[in-house]
Amino acid sequence: MSTYILGVESTAHTFSVSVVSSDGRILSNEKSIYKPAAGRGIHPFEASQHHLALAGTVLERAIRESGVGEEDLSAVAYAMGPGLGPCLRVGAVVARTLASSLAVPLVPVNHAVGHIELGCLLTGARDPVVLLVSGGHTMVIAYSGGRWRILGEGLDLTLGQLLDQFGRHAGLASPCGAAVEAAASKSSSYHRLPYSVKGNDVSFSGLLTAAKEKLDAGVSFESVSFSIQETAFAMVTEVTERALAFTGKSELMVVGGVAANARLAGMMTTMAARHSARANLAPVSYSGDCGAQIAWTGSLAFASGVQVPVSDADVRQSWRLDTVDIPWRN
Amino acid sequence: MTQSTYPGGTEKPPGSLIYRGAEADILQGTWVGRPAIFKVRKPLPYRLPELDSGIRRQRTAHEATIMHSARKAGVQVPWLYRVDMPGTTLVMEHVYGERLKERVGDSAESSRLFRALGQDVARLHAAGITHGDITTANVIVRRKELVLIDFGLASRSSRLEDRAVDLRLIKETLVGAHARVATRAFEALLEGYSVEAGGREAEAAVTQLRSIERRGRYARVT
Ligand SMILES: Nc1ncnc2c1ncn2[C@@H]1O[C@H](COP(=O)(O)OP(=O)(O)O)[C@@H](O)[C@H]1O
Ligand SMILES: [Mg+2]
């Protein structure tokens, strides 16, 4: 018989709640996304106010939509970290309240593990080299010896931050990924930008500065968008390819908000083919932050006995992926 | 310069593919009658040609000159036989042995190899070279000695930051791919590094490494 788990995501822009069944059905996935004013970045406190204001509505919709009665929930999972303190705390409060009123266990979930495990559920990937690219992460990851291990990562900005900060410089509202992608698709004129790969790591700060300078010098937003995508995506594709060659694994998976970008997906698919590896791309509707990643990973963790007493259920802003034990993969 | 018929400028196909890396195909063949490795940087189909050809040429040229400097710094590297720029191919000595990747373990021998690697890295750093991609796949153990390869991402720098990035890379590979023995192996490496570079230099590099880790690891949403 399957059990039902509710998951709460609130690490950054998104407040989202989802209900899943232990056999991997996503029964609901409701969300509300905080949007800062044009040209500005996320303000953690404002974002948390947004989450707090909408928490009740989102929670209620997620339960109603799932068709599962509150009394049939076996556990409540929440994103304990990593993320922005004020935002994380809203999710933790909501989860604690619900778990104690229903008298069910509380399950802490690492947000990055959430992206990976949901990606595996949705794409059928079993043992992939993972590229996690979002506002909070740029990481190349593979499972070994009980944990998801980091094989490469961003040394300064994340890929999401690069696109956002570039878009904001052009006067757009965050998140800017979709607008940059749309603009890029209208150009094919490449302007040279710094390509910075250091072993398995990438650095985007020089690239961001140079791209802003191109804009300021009057190069069109479309051309600079095209150039920034071609450069940055080739960089992450190259380091993912290194990890694939190094580990000898035969599957690839791309998850996180930037996975929604068709050009990145195209590059990864082409690269995978060179190594006869299977490319698994997270469906666009689930690539960004959502409750389902927390509910599903919570379900896996709960089945392996992972829980946290309500009194210890706080948040961990810098909870690193490779410190999390993954008992369900052993 | 005329475009060579085959990578490496040979009249015949240089040999059989033994490894497909992230940026190069490694072929095994012969060069003037000797066993040789052909490292061919072929166009990467996902990368824009304008961007791709520049990177391949730059890395090929770079790898060749830095291999030369590394040898002068007292680090063992394969002998370079030929640089074919239009073909973005290096022809070099075939080093017979196992990659360090296959030798990593919790044995004393493994620690000895990492100490030796630390010494080599310090020698490179002292000569103003950062390797830029020191993984356990880029070190070949020939008999009891280490031979370093894959200098395409190397750079000439004496900056503390770049030396620390170099060390961080090794640590990242160890933690990512050899988690069980990572701590021990990295400690051995630092020991070797410090023997060669001196305690003060080593300490400065490790302190810088820590600060880089704090910067990169916990990238936040802003
Ligand atoms: N000179 C050489 N002798 C023996 N094996 C080599 C030599 N050069 C490369 N190889 C083998 O090919 C692999 C890939 O070569 P490398 O130069 O590291 O290219 P990549 O940049 O694709 O990693 C190495 O891990 C090693 O196994
Ligand atoms: Mg290599």
Side-chain angles (χ1 to χ4, degrees), chain A residues 170-316:
Chain A
L172 301 175
S174 272
C176 312
V180 172
E181 178 174 14
S185 69
K186 294 196 192 94
S187 173
S188 56
S189 107
Y190 182 72
H191 293 257
R192 188 164 294 282
L193 293 171
Y195 183 96
S196 177
V197 166
K198 299 179 180 175
N200 291 328
D201 299 330
V202 292
S203 159
F204 292 129
S205 58
L207 174 53
L208 176 63
T209 309
K212 285 176 172 174
E213 281 167 9
K214 295 272 179 213
L215 270 187
D216 296 342
V219 181
S220 75
F221 180 57
E222 286 76 13
S223 297
V224 190
S225 295
F226 174 74
S227 307
I228 207 172
Q229 281 201 169
E230 290 301 318
T231 312
F233 294 173
M235 283 163 59
V236 294
T237 306
E238 184 185 340
V239 292
T240 310
E241 182 167 21
R242 285 170 174 277
L244 198 61
F246 184 83
T247 59
K249 296 201 191 239
S250 59
E251 290 171 275
L252 191 70
M253 184 169 80
V254 192
V255 293
V258 190
N261 187 294
R263 177 60 179 137
L264 177 62
M267 283 195 196
M268 296 298 284
T269 309
T270 308
M271 180 273 276
R274 273 169 46 84
H275 295 270
S276 315
R278 189 179 135 188
N280 301 282
L281 303 165
V284 173
S285 52
Y286 286 101
S287 59
D289 294 353
C290 66
Q293 72 191 75
I294 306 304
W296 172 240
T297 307
S299 169
L300 295 170
F302 178 62
S304 305
V306 179
Q307 302 184 11
V308 63
V310 173
S311 53
D312 293 345
D314 41 26
V315 305
R316 298 175 67 180

Side-chain angles (χ1 to χ4, degrees), chain B residues 19 21 26 37 39 92-95 99 137-138 140 149-150:
Chain B
Y19 182 86
I26 304 294
I37 286 288
K39 178 167 182 174
M92 65 184 100
E93 176 193 4
H94 192 153
V95 178
R99 298 180 301 176
N138 288 337
I140 301 174
I149 60 166
D150 205 356

Side-chain angles (χ1 to χ4, degrees), chain A residues 72-162:
Chain A
D72 293 325
L73 293 174
S74 299
V76 173
Y78 76 106
M80 186 184 244
L84 301 168
C87 299
L88 286 168
R89 281 190 279 275
V90 176
V93 166
V94 171
R96 279 197 302 256
T97 311
L98 188 65
S100 46
S101 75
L102 297 176
V104 297
L106 202 50
V107 181
V109 170
N110 178 287
H111 175 85
V113 175
H115 273 299
I116 300 169
E117 294 296 352
L118 181 65
C120 288
L121 172 70
L122 295 171
T123 64
R126 298 168 66 90
D127 184 22
V129 167
V130 182
L131 174 66
L132 168 56
V133 274
S134 65
H137 295 87
T138 303
M139 282 183 176
V140 180
I141 302 154
Y143 180 83
S144 97
R147 291 184 183 177
W148 287 103
R149 310 281 177 184
I150 299 163
L151 298 174
E153 64 187 315
L155 292 173
D156 35 49
L157 302 169
T158 67
L159 187 53
Q161 285 171 332
L162 170 73

